[in-house]
Amino acid sequence: MSAGIQSVISFVKETTWGTAVTPNKSIAVRPEGGITTKVDTQLIPAVKGLLAKNYNAIKGKTEHGGDFSFDLFADYVGHFLLSAHGSDSAATHSGESIVYDHTFSDSVTKPSYTIEQAIGENIRRYAGSIVSGYKIEGKPGEMIMFSPTIMAKTQASASAIAPAFTTVPAFNFAQAAVKIGGSTIGEVESIEIEYKNGLEMVYGLGSNEPLYYSINGGAEVSVKIDLYLDSTSLTRFSNYLALTNEAIELILTGGSIGSAANYMLDYLIPKAYYTSGETKINDAHNLLSVQADGIYDTATSTLVKPILTNLVASY
């Protein structure tokens, strides 16, 4: 019997989608979720002079996928953002020589990864892993959480690598700020951003595994925010009623790097419309709960604009 606390998730970027590579990075995850394999076993029925309904079975489509959650580390999270969005424009941070800004943008082609999931004796490598979406969550008193959803092409058993975890610290709630309409809003109690890129694994004749991947339906982004109710936060409710769009921006600022920079994630939704707004009766602090969906912004030519600042030159 093995102890679950010793489980390890490791990964590495692939050169070719679905061609497995030995992982060289490991990430500390929370004890929940995981990647699984689902075989659509097909029982074959027939009328052939028997009382039994089924007389045979075949292996149907095989799906590999799942999710996990980890503290939002300022370096390794870039790999998952790259896989989800597809493109990274890296540039040296202004005034620095070893600090880089990574601006992620959407493209049809998605970089893939080999993800190794070592759970006790069951060690599996999922080749052709692509991030189909993710959540970023911030709550008071907690770490900022990042939860990617994974779709993979194949799986195979493997021997576990020696874990190689990052030493870069993760962001926490005290390092977070939220801007709405360009102004910092101090009334935010919690925030959740969810991004989906529309990824779909496509099947055909000749294989139980996916033949290729495609984008079905396009990318979407939504956000949920709880704000302490006052005259400032009430403006969000007024904008919900008036169908007035606003930019929503989550800014995470970590420790110092380079000569005068910081680890940062600046996550901008340039144009969002509120889809719900409510204040519920309670006997504690009054909260305004709003939800919003982002739309494509022609001014910035983006749906979302995440910029990650760290010491990684290239993903």
Side-chain angles (χ1 to χ4, degrees):
M1 180 181 294
S2 54
I5 194 68
Q6 294 180 301
S7 300
V8 179
I9 296 290
S10 303
F11 64 95
V12 67
K13 188 179 179 183
E14 297 173 347
T15 301
T16 303
W17 176 61
T19 301
V21 183
T22 301
N24 58 9
K25 300 176 180 64
S26 304
I27 194 157
V29 299
R30 295 298 176 93
E32 58 189 21
I35 302 175
T36 61
T37 295
K38 296 180 180 179
V39 178
D40 185 20
T41 302
Q42 295 290 311
L43 299 178
I44 309 303
V47 177
K48 50 183 300 184
L50 300 173
L51 291 178
K53 176 181 178 180
N54 300 310
Y55 78 99
N56 199 2
I58 63 169
K59 184 177 180 180
K61 293 192 300 183
T62 302
E63 299 179 1
H64 313 287
D67 52 50
F68 45 81
S69 299
F70 57 85
D71 300 350
L72 202 158
F73 299 100
D75 55 351
Y76 281 4
V77 73
H79 289 283
F80 297 90
L81 289 171
L82 173 62
S83 182
H85 292 283
S87 297
D88 168 26
S89 176
T92 305
H93 188 76
S94 177
E96 301 286 343
S97 59
I98 60 170
V99 179
Y100 301 90
D101 294 329
H102 299 271
T103 302
F104 299 96
S105 58
D106 292 334
S107 64
V108 172
T109 302
K110 309 293 185 185
S112 63
Y113 286 75
T114 297
I115 297 179
E116 180 180 289
Q117 181 173 268
I119 301 179
E121 293 75 20
N122 192 13
I123 302 162
R124 299 285 159 177
R125 285 186 185 165
Y126 295 90
S129 294
I130 300 176
V131 176
S132 64
Y134 56 79
K135 289 183 180 180
I136 300 173
E137 298 175 88
K139 299 177 181 179
E142 299 183 11
M143 303 299 292
I144 304 297
M145 299 302 299
F146 188 90
S147 304
T149 300
I150 307 296
M151 292 184 181
K153 187 179 190 295
T154 64
Q155 68 81 31
S157 60
S159 298
I161 68 162
F165 294 101
T166 181
T167 58
V168 172
F171 297 106
N172 65 65
F173 79 105
Q175 297 171 318
V178 175
K179 287 185 176 181
I180 302 179
S183 300
T184 301
I185 305 297
E187 292 83 357
V188 174
E189 191 263 348
S190 64
I191 186 170
E192 176 188 299
I193 297 171
E194 183 173 12
Y195 170 85
K196 299 177 181 179
N197 59 19
L199 184 75
E200 179 183 57
M201 293 293 168
V202 181
Y203 295 80
L205 299 180
S207 177
N208 303 102
E209 316 284 358
L211 298 179
Y212 58 95
Y213 68 86
S214 183
I215 303 299
N216 185 353
E220 302 174 272
V221 66
S222 60
V223 59
K224 300 177 183 178
I225 308 176
D226 285 339
L227 307 99
Y228 294 112
L229 185 60
D230 64 9
S231 58
T232 299
S233 60
L234 186 61
T235 301
R236 276 58 264 176
F237 186 73
S238 299
N239 289 341
Y240 161 57
L241 297 177
L243 193 65
T244 300
N245 69 78
E246 295 188 286
I248 299 176
E249 187 174 8
L250 173 64
I251 303 171
L252 307 176
T253 305
S256 300
I257 50 175
S259 58
N262 296 82
Y263 287 112
M264 287 190 68
L265 175 61
D266 187 335
Y267 196 104
L268 173 65
I269 304 172
K271 198 170 188 178
Y273 284 93
Y274 296 106
T275 57
S276 70
E278 60 181 19
T279 53
K280 294 183 178 179
I281 297 172
N282 73 94
D283 59 358
H285 301 292
N286 287 321
L287 287 176
L288 169 65
S289 298
V290 296
Q291 296 186 35
D293 288 347
I295 68 169
Y296 184 79
D297 177 43
T298 55
T300 60
S301 300
T302 59
L303 174 68
V304 296
K305 188 178 181 181
I307 301 176
L308 181 66
T309 301
N310 55 31
L311 299 173
V312 179
S314 174
Y315 286 101

